[in-house]
Amino acid sequence: DVKVTQSSRYLVKRTGEKVFLECVQDMDHENMFWYRQDPGLGLRLIYFSYDVKMKEKGDIPEGYSVSREKKERFSLILESASTNQTSMYLCASSPGTGYHEQYFGPGTRLTVT
Amino acid sequence: GIQVEQSPPDLILQEGANSTLRCNFSDSVNNLQWFHQNPWGQLINLFYIPSGTKQNGRLSATTVATERYSLLYISSSQTTDSGVYFCAAINSGAGSYQLTFGKGTKLSVIP
């Protein structure tokens, strides 16, 4: 079975802190994704990556950056956390070109105070 | 971009009842996926169904790509079916990738 893991289930940070959210997948998938989920807004794509060191902006990239140094790991970085970044963050992976079934991690609930 | 609409937004069922959830999308898509989000927030894959019909136990799904909709059928519902059901439409091509989730259908199955 595909396994996608995220570094924390719950995280509390202060405004202005630099925050790293880590995601690891164990199925040699090409594509990895970061989403945030908010009540009433659904899931929105922040960034995705086709390959190592490749990244593409999603619908709401402002205030975020990403890093993919290894194929199995995709990091989401909040350079200076703000309260409006309090949200549930979900990571996903999919096999690659032509086959896009997405597999999700358990999510990280981030609170910025 | 692609617009994805799900209906109904909320659904309450008596245990044992059947239901149909609908997902409409505004443009042609390469792929369509259904998920169930459990009370702990985990998104569980149900179906990856760009076209045709698939069945898995009490659940089945049908996508009619030419008419831009997909249906998820739940038969003999159980309380463990409660949660939010999402569909996601994916459109990919040379140099582009677009993925859009619907807002979900919140299902509550009562004993």
Side-chain angles (χ1 to χ4, degrees):
Chain A
D1 282 349
V2 176
K3 192 167 185 184
V4 181
T5 56
Q6 295 183 227
S7 49
S8 306
R9 287 305 309 272
Y10 300 94
L11 206 53
V12 179
K13 295 291 182 180
R14 293 193 181 274
T15 301
E17 278 193 81
K18 190 169 185 176
V19 182
F20 293 87
L21 302 182
E22 304 284 337
C23 176
V24 178
Q25 49 94 5
D26 67 356
M27 284 301 292
D28 200 35
H29 282 177
E30 300 290 334
N31 304 328
M32 296 188 75
F33 307 82
W34 276 106
Y35 298 88
R36 63 177 283 177
Q37 185 178 22
D38 302 286
L41 297 176
L43 280 94
R44 294 178 292 168
L45 182 63
I46 304 171
Y47 268 98
F48 62 100
S49 169
Y50 285 126
D51 201 349
V52 175
K53 299 191 187 294
M54 303 289 286
K55 60 183 179 183
E56 295 286 343
K57 293 180 180 179
D59 299 320
I60 50 163
E62 297 78 19
Y64 303 94
S65 62
V66 291
S67 172
R68 195 169 179 198
E69 296 296 320
K70 293 185 177 181
K71 191 174 186 179
E72 68 270 18
R73 188 180 297 269
F74 192 35
S75 303
L76 181 69
I77 304 155
L78 287 66
E79 294 288 343
S80 178
S82 62
T83 55
N84 63 14
Q85 292 178 310
T86 291
S87 187
M88 171 72 113
Y89 289 87
L90 292 158
C91 174
S93 70
S94 70
T97 305
Y99 193 75
H100 299 284
E101 183 171 8
Q102 299 221 346
Y103 297 85
F104 278 82
T108 296
R109 193 167 293 280
L110 173 67
T111 302
V112 182
T113 61
Chain B
I2 305 169
Q3 307 296 316
V4 177
E5 290 188 5
Q6 290 187 243
S7 60
D10 295 279
L11 185 59
I12 300 174
L13 293 177
Q14 200 79 38
E15 198 170 22
N18 303 329
S19 63
T20 301
L21 281 57
R22 187 176 180 103
C23 173
N24 292 334
F25 39 96
S26 62
D27 205 346
S28 57
V29 297
N30 303 127
N31 297 289
L32 194 292
Q33 197 167 353
W34 283 97
F35 298 91
H36 174 217
Q37 189 166 40
N38 65 23
W40 297 272
Q42 174 82 54
L43 276 163
I44 310 296
N45 290 19
L46 295 178
F47 294 101
Y48 178 71
I49 184 166
S51 64
T53 297
K54 290 186 178 179
Q55 178 142 16
N56 185 1
R58 296 181 295 104
L59 274 60
S60 65
T62 295
T63 297
V64 184
T66 52
E67 297 187 22
R68 301 179 185 171
Y69 73 88
S70 185
L71 302 174
L72 178 69
Y73 306 95
I74 304 174
S75 65
S76 305
S77 57
Q78 300 175 359
T79 55
T80 51
D81 295 331
S82 296
V84 184
Y85 290 80
F86 291 98
C87 66
I90 301 164
N91 213 0
S92 64
S96 70
Y97 189 94
Q98 189 175 12
L99 182 147
T100 306
F101 275 80
K103 295 284 177 66
T105 292
K106 185 177 180 181
L107 175 64
S108 301
V109 181
I110 55 177

